[in-house]
Amino acid sequence: MEDFIVSARKYRPVSFKQVVGQHAITNTLQNAIKNNQLAQAFLFTGPRGVGKTTCARILAKTINCENISDETEACDQCESCTSFNNNASFNIHELDAASNNSVDDIRNLVERVRIPPQVGKYKVYIIDEVHMLSAAAFNAFLKTLEEPPAYAKFILATTEKHKIIPTILSRCQLFDFRRIGVEDITEYLMYVAGNENIDAEEEALHTIAQKADGALRDALSTFDQIASFSGNKLTYKNVIDNLNILDYEYYFKITDALLSSDLSNLLLILNEIIDNGFEGQHFLNGLGEHLRNLLLIKDPATVELMHASHSLKEKYSSQAASCDTAWLLSALEIFNKYDLNYKTSNNKRLHVEICLMQLSHIGQTANPVPTVKRQIPIASPKPEIQNKVVPPAPKTEQPTLTEEKPAYTKPPEPKAEESPKPAEQIQIKPAKKPMAEGNGRRIKNISIKDSLKAMNKKKPEDEEVIEAVIKTPFDQEKLLDTWARFTTSYQSKSPSFANAVAKYKPVLKDNFVVEYKVDNSIIAKDVLNVTALLRFLKTELNNNQITLTPTFPEKNEQKTAYTDREKFDEMAKKYPEIIKLREQLDLELGF
Ligand SMILES: [Zn+2]
């Protein structure tokens, strides 16, 4: 049986033009060779596995070649070249400073530098991981580096440039190797697969390339590993099984379920993912990436920022067509919040589940409703969800556009025998109002920038977008109830704001003006939170004509509490729950 040679070695580039993804560097080196302006010492920096040592070897071979070609490549035929190709050249010395970092190791090397080359013109010394040299070793080396013989060339390589002392840095010509692009790696893997007669799916190679994070050597090792496992057919399935990658199909399924607000399906898919041994954070990151890709594919200008194979891009494209940009931006915002808080959450699984619940409730609207408690009728089929996936929305769902009567008509009762309470129906509907849906569909194909603009505008100037006027009447009591629900649910987001607006009772005035009292204007000017409050009121009270007017208490209005009764009232003002508690426990007040 033939000896197996790992691909990273077998396919190590032997000429400048074979080097993958470092054209700027190879061009500079070739020009220097051509113009005979080669420096005496080089410092190659960059992440692992991107071709530093490979380039050093090619450089050593090329400058020793007797017949350098017009393209400034080694001829591969002369005596020097053949000895290089057989790893038998005496003109190249490699030292791995990670394991040979003592003063003695460096002294040995310095000794050898004094002997001129027997064959060829240059002796090349490659010191890998040079930052690992001890301080004493560095000093022993410095002298040689300062005044090397003309035939000696030094190539220092390191992954950690910041650890190199300035005296060394200043004596070297610097080359920054960059991570190799996913596309470049994929292409190279295709070439290797072709050469090895392995039938590999593009998707599979792409995934390997992505996982390698810019290091071609890692990609080739992974390739070997999976190829040895799966024989001469390398599929996407092989790759994800071996690398423990979550199948992208899951993200497509999750997004579909999010778009149709199919909560039960979402939880089931998540359960399957967790059962397969994937961490919540892993899943969240993947979902974020997926949402980002959906956003990127919408604009031809940003498509190249995403790393995916052709077939996968088509898949993204078709899913992106069914979700509008505003939805994606809101989804990314929610994802980001949950991603940030993941580490601090006590129940990770629940944390991810809540994230999915929130995401599923954005609806195709530019304005997500944060932390709103919603009930979903579980016993009956969900007619409103079915309606949602069939564009365009049925006529009965359209709000009437006249100002006279309450524009928002209740949706028809579901046909199912066990119909949910009407109250629940009304609660669910507002988030998916046809106006929002229509709005969303229209901005489907415009760029991200435009959509951001549209989001920031309160009322889009676009004539096509008609905002329906919804004026469901409500009374003071309903207002207070909704207000209290906001302050409770908003505790997690901004306790200071929630407490500030909970302190005083809002008053309902004419024309749906809600007058509320706060201690200072800073709270009233807290646009983000005030907007969230207004949005909550509008959604919960099903009335988009509500406006908020802040008032500020007079200085002497805040008198000090003297009697027990006054103290109780003060406390109740700050913590309205106290009154509820008193009622629930049926407590008598002793004053
Ligand atoms: Zn040659």
Side-chain angles (χ1 to χ4, degrees):
M1 199 178 137
E2 215 182 318
D3 275 345
F4 176 72
I5 304 170
V6 294
S7 295
R9 258 183 66 199
K10 189 169 174 186
Y11 292 96
R12 169 167 262 175
V14 291
S15 64
F16 283 121
K17 72 164 184 286
Q18 285 176 8
V19 175
V20 180
Q22 307 291 2
H23 296 298
I25 288 172
T26 52
N27 277 345
T28 313
L29 289 175
Q30 283 177 297
N31 281 335
I33 295 172
K34 207 194 298 182
N35 303 328
N36 221 354
Q37 289 173 334
L38 218 52
Q40 200 92 63
F42 303 85
L43 181 64
F44 288 180
T45 66
R48 55 193 291 273
V50 295
K52 297 187 296 293
T53 315
T54 301
C55 276
R57 287 185 189 161
I58 295 170
L59 178 67
K61 178 172 134 185
T62 312
I63 56 180
N64 273 307
C65 175
E66 289 153 28
N67 312 300
I68 300 179
S69 73
D70 292 342
E71 290 91 45
T72 329
E73 296 277 13
C75 72
D76 263 335
Q77 266 145 36
C78 68
E79 194 189 340
S80 168
C81 282
T82 39
S83 61
F84 260 105
N85 289 350
N86 297 329
N87 288 325
S89 175
F90 290 110
N91 287 345
I92 185 161
H93 299 272
E94 287 188 49
L95 180 85
D96 183 9
S99 43
N100 311 293
N101 53 9
S102 69
V103 185
D104 285 342
D105 291 319
I106 284 296
R107 287 212 178 110
N108 265 336
L109 183 120
V110 169
E111 283 297 305
R112 274 184 283 163
V113 172
R114 291 209 300 225
I115 308 162
Q118 307 298 308
V119 196
K121 285 179 272 182
Y122 299 102
K123 275 193 155 186
V124 179
Y125 297 85
I126 301 172
I127 306 180
D128 236 337
E129 302 299 335
V130 68
H131 63 273
M132 302 283 277
L133 285 183
S134 65
F138 256 129
N139 287 329
F141 182 52
L142 211 54
K143 182 97 180 56
T144 313
L145 196 62
E146 241 164 20
E147 293 161 2
Y151 53 79
K153 300 277 178 204
F154 293 95
I155 302 173
L156 315 180
T158 180
T159 48
E160 285 164 76
K161 184 179 165 187
H162 59 276
K163 287 189 181 165
I164 308 292
I165 53 172
T167 38
I168 299 267
L169 277 180
S170 64
R171 284 171 179 83
C172 297
Q173 194 174 4
L174 295 186
F175 287 90
D176 270 318
F177 284 66
R178 54 190 190 100
R179 279 176 212 285
I180 304 166
V182 174
E183 309 304 328
D184 280 343
I185 295 182
T186 310
E187 208 173 294
Y188 198 71
L189 290 177
M190 275 180 183
Y191 158 76
V192 173
N195 255 16
E196 296 288 309
N197 282 323
I198 292 173
D199 181 15
E201 290 177 5
E202 188 196 348
E203 206 44 64
L205 300 181
H206 216 281
T207 309
I208 295 175
Q210 242 168 335
K211 190 85 177 171
D213 193 27
L216 185 59
R217 189 173 57 208
D218 291 0
L220 287 167
S221 313
T222 312
F223 175 84
D224 283 348
Q225 181 199 325
I226 298 169
S228 70
F229 163 87
S230 56
N232 54 1
K233 189 148 174 57
L234 208 155
T235 63
Y236 174 68
K237 183 88 179 53
N238 295 148
V239 175
I240 58 169
D241 284 351
N242 261 277
L243 297 183
N244 202 27
I245 291 173
L246 187 51
D247 193 339
Y248 57 70
E249 283 296 341
Y250 279 113
Y251 297 117
F252 281 101
K253 275 195 249 168
I254 286 271
T255 309
D256 280 339
L258 286 178
L259 288 168
S260 55
S261 302
D262 188 351
L263 196 58
S264 35
N265 202 11
L266 279 172
L267 297 181
L268 289 174
I269 300 172
L270 178 65
N271 184 55
E272 196 180 322
I273 291 170
I274 292 171
D275 277 353
N276 286 341
F278 289 99
E279 288 249 351
Q281 178 96 67
H282 186 101
F283 165 72
L284 271 185
N285 287 343
L287 183 61
E289 178 83 23
H290 184 85
L291 294 171
R292 174 181 177 267
N293 282 344
L294 287 174
L295 191 65
L296 293 181
I297 200 128
K298 280 184 169 292
D299 194 331
T302 49
V303 169
E304 59 186 83
L305 291 178
M306 64 183 285
H307 300 302
S309 65
H310 277 298
S311 54
L312 191 54
K313 274 182 184 166
E314 270 167 33
K315 230 170 131 74
Y316 272 118
S317 182
S318 76
Q319 187 166 64
S322 59
C323 42
D324 59 65
T325 310
W327 184 86
L328 285 168
L329 290 171
S330 305
L332 278 165
E333 195 186 332
I334 292 178
F335 150 76
N336 194 37
K337 194 176 86 192
Y338 280 86
D339 186 41
L340 284 175
N341 296 334
Y342 186 84
K343 284 240 157 61
T344 54
S345 111
N346 285 325
N347 187 340
K348 310 283 188 207
R349 184 191 178 122
L350 182 65
H351 187 78
V352 179
E353 284 176 345
I354 296 173
C355 176
L356 290 178
M357 291 176 202
Q358 281 220 355
L359 286 170
S360 73
H361 273 287
I362 308 172
Q364 294 269 34
T365 159
N367 301 319
V369 183
T371 52
V372 187
K373 274 187 290 167
R374 285 178 192 290
Q375 292 153 310
I376 293 216
I378 297 161
S380 65
K382 293 163 233 161
E384 72 285 346
I385 287 167
Q386 281 155 9
N387 285 344
K388 205 174 161 295
V389 281
V390 188
K395 275 269 153 28
T396 49
E397 293 245 312
Q398 296 288 356
T400 38
L401 298 173
T402 44
E403 292 240 350
E404 308 319 321
K405 46 189 166 175
Y408 182 71
T409 49
K410 256 203 214 172
E413 292 289 320
K415 292 271 145 57
E417 311 86 273
E418 280 243 28
S419 61
K421 276 176 272 160
E424 286 175 333
Q425 276 287 312
I426 300 164
Q427 270 197 330
I428 293 160
K429 293 310 289 179
K432 304 160 189 161
K433 265 189 279 296
M435 67 159 192
E437 230 177 274
N439 191 346
R441 292 247 147 75
R442 254 175 223 114
I443 53 175
K444 200 185 325 190
N445 284 324
I446 61 175
S447 74
I448 299 166
K449 216 165 71 190
D450 293 340
S451 298
L452 274 173
K453 258 190 243 156
M455 271 183 87
N456 290 334
K457 258 185 251 162
K458 279 216 177 72
K459 278 192 182 149
E461 278 149 27
D462 189 348
E463 284 164 13
E464 270 191 287
V465 182
I466 305 155
E467 193 177 332
V469 174
I470 302 166
K471 299 203 265 191
T472 314
F474 59 93
D475 56 9
Q476 172 71 18
E477 198 187 333
K478 195 109 193 272
L479 171 66
L480 290 180
D481 171 62
T482 315
W483 195 271
R485 276 193 290 125
F486 172 81
T487 54
T488 316
S489 68
Y490 212 64
Q491 280 292 343
S492 57
K493 205 161 180 197
S494 167
S496 58
F497 182 79
N499 289 336
V501 294
K503 203 168 168 186
Y504 303 98
K505 282 180 182 167
V507 183
L508 178 61
K509 302 278 179 178
D510 286 342
N511 294 325
F512 308 114
V513 172
V514 174
E515 214 175 82
Y516 69 108
K517 206 183 273 181
V518 283
D519 281 334
N520 57 58
S521 61
I522 298 169
I523 300 158
K525 282 176 186 157
D526 187 346
V527 178
L528 201 72
N529 288 324
V530 173
T531 312
L533 168 62
L534 183 60
R535 202 186 295 147
F536 186 89
L537 293 177
K538 283 181 174 177
T539 314
E540 293 295 302
L541 294 167
N542 194 21
N543 183 321
N544 62 10
Q545 300 301 299
I546 300 172
T547 50
L548 281 171
T549 313
T551 58
F552 310 101
E554 305 281 325
K555 274 265 155 52
N556 49 3
E557 199 178 315
Q558 282 179 300
K559 51 177 183 182
T560 332
Y562 288 111
T563 65
D564 284 344
R565 175 82 221 187
E566 279 171 349
K567 279 179 188 161
F568 176 80
D569 287 345
E570 263 316 294
M571 278 212 350
K573 236 190 238 172
K574 255 188 208 162
Y575 308 105
E577 296 91 324
I578 287 181
I579 297 173
K580 243 184 245 163
L581 190 71
R582 190 191 70 81
E583 280 164 5
Q584 274 167 11
L585 299 176
D586 206 17
L587 295 176
E588 288 278 337
L589 290 175
F591 40 81

